């Protein structure tokens, strides 16, 4: 169980810049960047807006770990 968990953690560390940049990069320049970043900091990595989709950085950063251990947990806890 430790091996897939370690692999998932290493993958998450490698892809953290790419994951965070996908949430913070804007199509229309930097408009609203400060407000989004401030809301993410105040709400512990989660932000819901009416104009853009929900942002959950914590879930996105943990996703590589979930991908690696899902099969094992599926076999253990049916």
């Amino acid at each position: 169980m430790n091996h897939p968990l370690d692999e998932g953690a290493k993958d998450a560390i490698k892809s953290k810049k790419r994951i965070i940049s996908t949430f913070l990069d804007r199509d229309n320049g930097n408009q609203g960047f400060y407000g989004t970043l401030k809301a993410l900091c105040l709400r512990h990595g989660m932000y819901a807006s009416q104009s853009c989709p929900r942002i959950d950085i914590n879930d996105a950063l943990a996703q590589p770990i979930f991908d690696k251990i899902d099969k094992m947990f599926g076999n253990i806890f049916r």
Side-chain angles (χ1 to χ4, degrees):
M1 188 161 141
N2 286 337
H3 183 66
L5 189 62
D6 289 339
E7 284 182 14
K10 287 177 184 176
D11 289 347
I13 290 170
K14 288 179 188 175
S15 63
K16 69 181 176 186
K17 274 189 173 180
R18 180 184 50 81
I19 291 170
I20 291 174
S21 68
T22 58
F23 286 116
L24 297 180
D25 286 346
R26 300 285 180 153
D27 294 335
N28 56 353
N30 290 329
Q31 180 180 0
F33 175 77
Y34 175 74
T36 303
L37 187 61
K38 181 179 176 183
L40 284 169
C41 292
L42 291 174
R43 294 183 180 108
H44 307 289
M46 293 176 25
Y47 174 64
S49 171
Q50 294 177 357
S51 62
C52 64
R54 180 182 175 160
I55 298 174
D56 189 357
I57 290 181
N58 299 322
D59 186 45
L61 290 174
Q63 193 60 44
I65 298 171
F66 292 141
D67 292 342
K68 293 288 184 179
I69 63 173
D70 272 347
K71 292 179 186 176
M72 182 183 309
F73 273 89
N75 291 334
I76 294 172
F77 304 106
R78 292 180 187 235

